[in-house]
Structures are given as C-alpha cells and as structure tokens.
Amino acid sequence: AQTVTQSQPEMSVQEAETVTLSCTYDTSESDYYLFWYKQPPSRQMILVIRQEAYKQQNATENRFSVNFQKAAKSFSLKISDSQLGDAAMYFCAYRSEYAGNNRKLIWGLGTSLAVNP
Amino acid sequence: KAGVTQTPRYLIKTRGQQVTLSCSPISGHRSVSWYQQTPGQGLQFLFEYFSETQRNKGNFPGRFSGRQFSNSRSEMNVSTLELGDSALYLCASSPGTSGGGETQYFGPGTRLLVL
C-alpha cells in the first residue's frame, strides 16, 4: 500500500523569505501523481501544485515550486517570497494512475506553516 | 463556474442518531469523492461515486454509505453515530474521465460534532 509522510508537523518562515516543506512517499507503482494542497483556517482545501511522475521537469506555479526526486521518492514544496496569506496547513498527497481502489488520494498528515511579519 | 458546495456546514448530533450530508459538484463534473478529516487520523478516503455508481471505497464500516444522483449531486449517510465520527467531512469533485491526474476540487466541508 502507498504511504505519504510529512516529517515536519510545524514550520515557520519570515515574510518575504523562502521555505521548503518536505514530503516522502512509498509506492511500488511507476505511474502516479503527486499533489500539494493548502488548507487555510477556512478549511477550504486548495490545490497548490501537481506533479506527474513521468515528467522529470519540476512543476512550478508562480511562487510555488517542487523538487521531485522520483528515485528517492521525495516531493518537497518550495515557497518563495512568503506572504502572510501563505499561512495554512499544507498537505502532500499521492494518487495512482491506475484504475480501481488505488485511485483515491492518499494524504500525509500535513505541515502547519506560520508566516511571521 | 460555481465551486463545490456542501450542506450543511455545521451539524451537531447525538450518539445513535443518523446524519445525511450533501455535496453539489462543479457543473459538468461526474465524479464525487468523500473524505473524513480528523486531528488524529488526518484525511481518510471514504468513497467515490461516478455516474451514480460507487467506483471506489475506503476502509470504513458499513455505517457509512453514500449515493449519487443523476445530476451528480451526492449524499453521504452515517447511521448509528459514534463519538469518533466527529470530523470534518470533505467532498471533492472532478470530471472523472481523465485518470489519476485529474485535479479534485474541494468543497468547504461539513463539520460534524457528535455528542
């Protein structure tokens, strides 16, 4: 079974600085997708970035980028120029490409990010 | 496009009661997934419905059930509520036809408190 591990329950960053959130996963599959979701205090889960496992190029969305290391099964999220609005719970998630029960999102336990002014 | 909506947003029930939560997906989306979020267990997959059929199921007891209507709206039901069912229940929708890479769009959740 696939698992997702986020080893940093809490992190903090100064406004305008850069922070990296860690995520590792375990799978025997070769085709899958990885996601970072953000959950602010409103509890609305918002997609931050998505990575296809077959793509070597790291995904980027504005100030958010990932470092995807497939062999190491590592998928870290880098937030540049941190803003107060980035304060939230960040979840790393895995989803298989294959049909059947493997298609569910499998989640890490999250990292709570505080942004200090 | 309107986002995913969930009703009610908050609910208080007592042990032994049953509850029904509703989710309206984004227009055109045919897949609806449900997740339970608790501080102790994190996010756990409940089930996924696609075109009125349950396509995937998580490891929850039979007290948790769901259904999907022809307009893709989905409901989940929890019977004989237990204290441990207190959680945030999240619904997510996606087109349902493009494989594992589809982005799931989440609703604001229903917070259930069981007393």
Side-chain angles (χ1 to χ4, degrees):
Chain A
Q2 296 83 18
T3 58
V4 176
T5 302
Q6 293 179 250
S7 59
Q8 306 152 315
E10 297 179 347
M11 291 196 73
S12 64
V13 63
Q14 291 297 125
E15 199 175 1
E17 297 293 308
T18 296
V19 65
T20 299
L21 308 183
S22 301
C23 172
T24 58
Y25 59 94
D26 189 29
T27 185
S28 58
E29 299 176 336
S30 57
D31 293 328
Y32 51 87
Y33 297 83
L34 296 164
F35 305 83
W36 278 100
Y37 278 89
K38 166 186 176 181
Q39 188 178 42
S42 68
R43 295 299 197 178
Q44 179 83 49
M45 196 71 79
I46 302 164
L47 177 68
V48 174
I49 202 164
R50 186 188 87 159
Q51 176 78 42
E52 297 90 336
Y54 62 85
K55 286 189 178 179
Q56 292 188 339
Q57 186 174 4
N58 290 323
T60 300
E61 286 287 344
N62 301 315
R63 298 182 294 107
F64 298 87
S65 62
V66 298
N67 183 4
F68 173 50
Q69 302 287 329
K70 190 173 183 179
K73 296 180 183 173
S74 170
F75 182 60
S76 60
L77 175 69
K78 185 171 83 170
I79 306 174
S80 304
D81 186 26
S82 297
Q83 301 175 359
L84 295 177
D86 294 333
M89 197 75 170
Y90 286 81
F91 291 95
C92 178
Y94 170 103
R95 195 176 190 202
S96 172
E97 168 61 9
Y98 304 104
N101 207 41
N102 289 331
R103 289 273 297 276
K104 62 187 178 183
L105 274 171
I106 299 169
W107 302 83
L109 291 179
T111 295
S112 178
L113 177 67
V115 180
N116 304 313
Chain B
K1 270 186 181 178
V4 180
T5 58
Q6 291 186 245
T7 57
R9 294 292 309 278
Y10 303 93
L11 210 46
I12 300 175
K13 292 286 187 178
T14 57
R15 278 180 299 176
Q17 286 187 310
Q18 75 166 17
V19 66
T20 299
L21 312 182
S22 179
C23 172
S24 292
I26 292 171
S27 178
H29 285 188
R30 292 159 60 191
S31 169
V32 173
S33 295
W34 289 89
Y35 296 87
Q36 181 196 64
Q37 185 177 20
T38 59
Q41 298 295 320
L43 285 140
Q44 303 285 323
F45 171 77
L46 281 154
F47 28 63
E48 179 202 6
Y49 285 86
F50 177 78
S51 292
E52 302 179 66
T53 301
Q54 188 180 83
R55 188 159 70 172
N56 290 304
K57 189 178 187 304
N59 297 322
F60 277 81
R63 300 185 297 107
F64 292 81
S65 63
R67 59 177 176 169
Q68 188 179 33
F69 302 94
S70 59
N71 62 357
S72 293
R73 189 178 70 86
S74 176
E75 289 181 346
M76 68 163 279
N77 183 76
V78 188
S79 63
T80 319
L81 283 166
E82 301 177 359
L83 295 178
D85 298 332
S86 295
L88 180 69
Y89 289 89
L90 293 169
C91 158
S93 82
S94 66
T97 56
S98 302
E102 272 189 357
T103 296
Q104 292 191 332
Y105 296 89
F106 284 79
T110 294
R111 182 168 292 284
L112 171 65
L113 177 61
V114 181
L115 300 176

